[in-house]
Amino acid sequence: MVRYEVRGRVALATIDNPPVNALSAAVRAGLAEAIQQANADGAVVAVVIAATGKAFIAGADISEFGKPSVAPFLPDVLDAITNSRKPVVAAIQGVALGGGLEVALACHGRVALAGAKLGLPEIKLGLIPGAGGTQRLPRLIGAAKAFPMMLSGEPISAGQALEYGLLDEVVSGDVVAAAARLAEVLAADGRGPLAHAIERLTEADHEAFEVLAGEALKKAEGMPNVPALVEAVRSVFRLPFEEGMKFERRLFLELVADERSRALRHVFFAEREVAKIPSIGPEVQPRGIQSAAVIGAGTMGGGIAMCFANAGIPVTLIETAQAPLDNGMNRIAAIYDISVQRGSLTPEARAQRLKRITPAVGLTAAATADIVIEAAFEEMSVKRDIFTGLDKVAKPGAVLASNTSYLDIPAIAAATKRPQDVLGMHFFSPANVMKLLEVVRPKEVAADAIATAVALGRKLGKVPVVVGNGFGFVGNRMLEQRTRATERLLVAGALPHEIDAALVGFGFKMGPCAMADLAGLDIGWRSRKARGIKAAVADAICEAGWLGQKTGRGFYLYPQGARTGQRDPEVEALIVRISAEKGVTRRSFSQEEILARLLDPMVNEGARILEEGIASRPGDIDIVWIHGYNWPAWRGGPMFWADGVGLDVIAKRLEAQAAEIGDKALEPAPLLKQLAAEGRGFAGLKG
Ligand code: 3H9
């Protein structure tokens, strides 16, 4: 995995470990050997470390974390590079990330191609750099520049890195040749590794770093790697290099073992796995999308149109009449105005984006679009009428998508003569912000239509998850279980603020009651009425005319347009009355008990979703919940969480609850039962 050759007087070690040259044990060993070999060869005066492919090195091999470590360890390999008697220069093409940048930092010189990117993204995995990044980078460019790079995890451009002094040279031609030239120069003047850098650690730099550190700690939100990063960088000012390295290593190993980092690593791989669509290989080419139409200028339709405009794709926004169309366009303009006021959008960009949205009345305006997304009222007859009309006007081969959150896609497709082109594209509110896109794949749809929706989703900046057709698909089907659990808890003795506190304590931004108030309680009410479902508490609140924040009252009180609810004694009395009417003796619930009662039924539904093939992999469900419902990423998603609790524990809790309430629907799903009996988790299931 590391090719060694000698070119003139310079040894060249080329890493070749596709796809991204991660620093697996074989690469580490290869690098150590190359340094040794070069130092033993009298004809060699210097060494270049280069790589093939799209990445220089993407970092440590993340899949090795949590497994027993295999020698040689990265910090030791990097010591060997730094201590090499012959200077070593990194020739960076593509990305140098994490351990990859740490390799470059251990070298005596660094040359990069103009398009290269350099970063230390460990923070995103719940970690800090663990092979000298926190020690070498501040010494090289100053802590006040190094710390923000490690805190955000975002890579910087080669140009920026040159300006910081992180690179010696940026070239646009042969990076290996340029690195070899620098290596020979260094060999001639015997430049030491850190000699020119240590003076950057000035008192002024220390003070500037402390200000940034203070701000970072205030925003750390309980993630342990932020204070660890602060401590590691701070140590640069008080410990000698070798001691600092040991300190960093200790902090890094503690974080690798932390459940939160394990969860974030799971999310990293699940996000990549979700991009692989079962039975659709790379030979299936997506259809080209040059223009789009969105039907319905309500909140959802407007948000979807903004996604297109933001991605540079012209879109026609269609309504049945001028007035709702004007309202929709005004709402979009107002949202862009807020971005301009906040400084996240220039007035020119705002104007450009608005220009990409063409308002129109009537379906014929969809005739030229390559894709049409219907975001009209959530009722089957409305959707079918629209698709009947679209079938007449849409051009052949256009993808016809419905943004329905619950309805049956084949029934909608049946209104057309082209079910091969009809699928679901379920955006999440606010559509221009939330990253999740459920791409619903009915049996009748063509593979290239699905590939088109997925490719388009990525272009719109979304995380597309392909799901099967079925009521509520993945996300809303599981959400319904949480809503039902909330109602059961309210009747059994818990109050809205206690239920919400349990979920906020878990890491959600909001609990189910505050969430329902924000969305509007009439949404669930309408859906329940349509399906003949009763929810005594939620129904009674709606019947009182309290529909959530928009009416100033819902589960909570919102005096004078307040956005945070206050406990409402009247609602609480109403809940207590309903329990009495049902003959329920209310009891208190601990926060842990509330959490289990809210989440266990969701996991159970997740198991059913897997059994039915509605989701391909447990990780897909986790991604749905992280990107669509703000499940905290450091908790890894519901299925990952369930594995951590133990499926046997969850199965027993569900059985106990099912018996207590006499509700068979709460009994563990066969898949959950089976995995629990075998002592396994969801993690081992293959897609
Ligand atoms: C670290 O370095 C710790 C050190 O400080 C200390 C150590 C002691 N490991 O994203 P893609 C796989 S922590 C293993 O789809 P792209 C990925 O799973 C690490 N595998 O491509 C996928 O596999 P598959 C710090 C990795 O072009 C394939 O490569 N580094 C790793 O959109 C393609 O990936 C990071 O956090 C890895 N490090 O983006 C960088 N990286 O095909 C993480 C990728 O089987 N990586 N894979 O699904 C990235 O940001 C992006 O992958 C990258 C390429 C920008 C490199």
Side-chain angles (χ1 to χ4, degrees):
M1 288 189 184
V2 179
R3 257 193 337 267
Y4 180 87
E5 66 195 286
V6 178
R7 288 189 186 173
R9 303 195 310 150
V10 177
L12 175 62
T14 308
I15 303 166
D16 186 8
N17 181 25
V20 293
N21 294 327
L23 290 162
S24 59
V27 173
R28 298 195 300 270
L31 280 176
E33 207 182 302
I35 297 299
Q36 209 175 24
Q37 215 171 331
N39 275 286
D41 185 344
V44 166
V45 299
V47 188
V48 166
I49 296 177
T52 56
K54 64 179 174 183
F56 170 65
I57 303 170
D61 187 336
I62 302 169
S63 64
E64 283 184 358
F65 292 160
K67 297 181 186 153
S69 329
V70 179
F73 307 121
L74 190 57
D76 298 336
V77 176
L78 301 197
D79 271 350
I81 294 175
T82 299
N83 296 330
S84 161
R85 281 178 290 107
K86 300 175 182 176
V88 186
V89 174
I92 302 167
Q93 96 295 358
V95 289
L97 298 176
L101 183 54
E102 288 172 309
V103 168
L105 286 168
C107 293
H108 309 109
R110 284 156 291 277
V111 179
L113 262 184
K117 284 199 175 332
L118 301 92
L120 291 168
E122 287 87 344
I123 201 93
K124 296 182 184 176
L125 297 169
L127 302 170
I128 61 170
T134 69
Q135 302 299 303
R136 287 191 171 98
L137 192 60
R139 285 183 164 86
L140 187 62
I141 67 171
K145 290 199 178 77
F147 177 69
M149 269 181 76
M150 294 185 264
L151 183 66
S152 74
E154 289 303 319
I156 60 171
S157 67
Q160 177 82 78
L162 184 68
E163 209 180 297
Y164 278 1
L166 169 45
L167 290 173
D168 297 285
E169 212 179 318
V170 177
V171 296
S172 48
D174 185 343
V175 70
V176 174
R181 274 196 303 277
L182 176 63
E184 291 218 44
V185 172
L186 295 184
D189 44 87
R191 188 176 100 175
L194 294 169
H196 71 300
I198 285 178
E199 68 225 46
R200 301 252 178 171
L201 296 179
T202 60
E203 202 40 51
D205 182 44
H206 192 175
E207 279 168 22
F209 157 71
E210 286 298 344
V211 172
L212 297 173
E215 287 165 9
L217 289 173
K218 270 189 232 144
K219 294 189 206 144
E221 289 183 352
M223 280 307 283
N225 57 341
V226 175
L229 179 65
V230 167
E231 281 310 315
V233 176
R234 191 173 276 153
S235 77
V236 163
F237 295 99
R238 63 180 178 86
L239 294 179
F241 179 74
E242 286 73 19
E243 292 299 310
M245 287 294 286
K246 282 189 202 139
F247 183 54
E248 177 200 78
R249 187 79 185 149
R250 185 161 63 73
L251 293 171
F252 175 81
L253 290 176
E254 275 170 23
L255 291 167
V256 167
D258 191 288
E259 186 63 14
R260 286 163 280 198
S261 171
R262 221 169 65 74
L264 288 168
R265 274 142 38 202
H266 160 73
V267 174
F268 175 84
F269 287 114
E271 274 176 350
R272 275 140 189 95
E273 197 69 14
V274 86
K276 295 167 193 149
I277 316 165
S279 76
I280 299 188
E283 71 286 354
V284 179
Q285 285 298 309
R287 304 176 193 176
I289 302 289
Q290 310 303 330
S291 66
V294 174
I295 307 202
T299 314
M300 224 38 215
I304 298 170
M306 289 173 76
C307 294
F308 282 102
N310 297 350
I313 303 171
V315 55
T316 307
L317 184 60
I318 298 174
E319 258 298 346
T320 47
Q322 196 60 43
L325 192 58
D326 292 343
N327 286 342
M329 287 302 289
N330 290 339
R331 205 167 22 236
I332 292 172
I335 296 172
Y336 281 138
D337 283 341
I338 294 173
S339 304
V340 172
Q341 279 156 25
R342 283 192 187 144
S344 57
L345 192 72
T346 63
E348 296 74 34
R350 170 193 179 276
Q352 250 177 7
R353 291 181 189 193
L354 275 174
K355 229 170 84 185
R356 289 193 194 112
I357 308 176
T358 308
V361 173
L363 280 187
T364 46
T368 55
D370 297 315
I371 186 162
V372 186
I373 301 180
E374 165 277 317
F377 193 65
E378 190 72 349
E379 204 171 289
M380 184 53 91
S381 60
V382 175
K383 310 262 184 204
R384 283 182 58 95
D385 283 351
I386 291 173
F387 276 76
T388 306
L390 278 178
D391 196 25
K392 296 199 180 98
V393 301
K395 69 181 191 188
V399 173
L400 307 181
S402 172
N403 175 54
T404 178
S405 359
Y406 289 100
L407 299 174
D408 185 52
I409 303 288
I412 297 173
T416 73
K417 292 187 201 64
R418 39 173 127 177
Q420 75 280 3
D421 297 331
V422 181
L423 46 77
M425 281 179 83
H426 181 208
F427 290 76
F428 287 73
S429 192
N432 54 316
V433 177
M434 296 303 285
K435 285 193 115 36
L436 177 64
L437 175 67
E438 280 181 334
V439 175
V440 187
R441 181 182 190 180
K443 286 197 183 63
E444 300 76 7
V445 76
D448 68 336
I450 291 293
T452 307
V454 169
L456 174 67
R458 284 207 199 100
K459 204 161 174 200
L460 301 184
K462 305 293 173 198
V463 179
V465 181
V466 177
V467 300
N469 181 60
F471 183 81
F473 316 120
V474 171
N476 280 348
R477 177 165 161 184
M478 287 168 72
L479 181 67
E480 175 150 304
Q481 291 302 324
R482 196 179 80 178
T483 309
R484 287 182 186 212
T486 304
E487 177 73 25
R488 281 196 298 270
L489 277 163
L490 289 168
V491 173
L495 289 170
H497 70 278
E498 294 169 324
I499 297 174
D500 283 353
L503 269 202
V504 171
F506 182 75
F508 277 91
K509 291 204 170 70
M510 251 185 224
C513 299
M515 189 69 221
D517 275 0
L518 182 67
L521 295 182
D522 46 331
I523 296 179
W525 194 28
R526 199 176 329 113
S527 155
R528 286 195 299 279
K529 278 195 285 195
R531 293 183 289 143
I533 295 171
K534 293 237 168 304
V537 173
D539 289 350
I541 295 176
C542 290
E543 277 151 23
W546 305 333
L547 301 181
Q549 277 197 30
K550 61 185 169 192
T551 59
R553 285 183 90 156
F555 280 106
Y556 300 102
L557 273 174
Y558 301 87
Q560 280 117 38
R563 300 184 77 179
T564 320
Q566 297 171 1
R567 288 177 62 176
D568 184 341
E570 251 184 286
V571 165
E572 292 183 7
L574 178 106
I575 294 170
V576 171
R577 203 163 58 237
I578 288 172
S579 303
E581 279 165 17
K582 288 180 171 284
V584 175
T585 310
R586 292 177 67 80
R587 70 164 175 97
S588 65
F589 286 86
S590 70
Q591 292 281 288
E592 295 76 48
E593 223 177 335
I594 291 175
L595 196 63
R597 290 199 174 213
L598 290 174
L599 303 189
D600 291 354
M602 285 175 56
V603 170
N604 204 24
E605 199 64 27
R608 290 197 190 99
I609 284 171
L610 287 170
E611 279 166 14
E612 294 166 26
I614 297 291
S616 310
R617 295 153 290 230
D620 290 14
I621 298 179
D622 290 336
I623 294 303
V624 163
W625 271 80
I626 287 168
H627 290 302
Y629 301 83
N630 287 321
W631 182 288
W634 56 269
R635 293 272 194 190
M639 310 315 267
F640 179 88
W641 171 80
D643 280 358
V645 173
L647 298 192
D648 53 336
V649 173
I650 292 186
K652 278 201 198 94
R653 289 198 303 224
L654 283 165
E655 269 161 9
Q657 227 196 120
E660 178 195 316
I661 306 175
D663 185 350
K664 279 198 160 318
L666 279 171
E667 281 173 6
L671 176 66
L672 178 59
K673 246 186 171 149
Q674 183 200 329
L675 292 173
E678 292 167 2
R680 293 166 61 197
F682 290 112
L685 292 178
K686 287 273 165 283

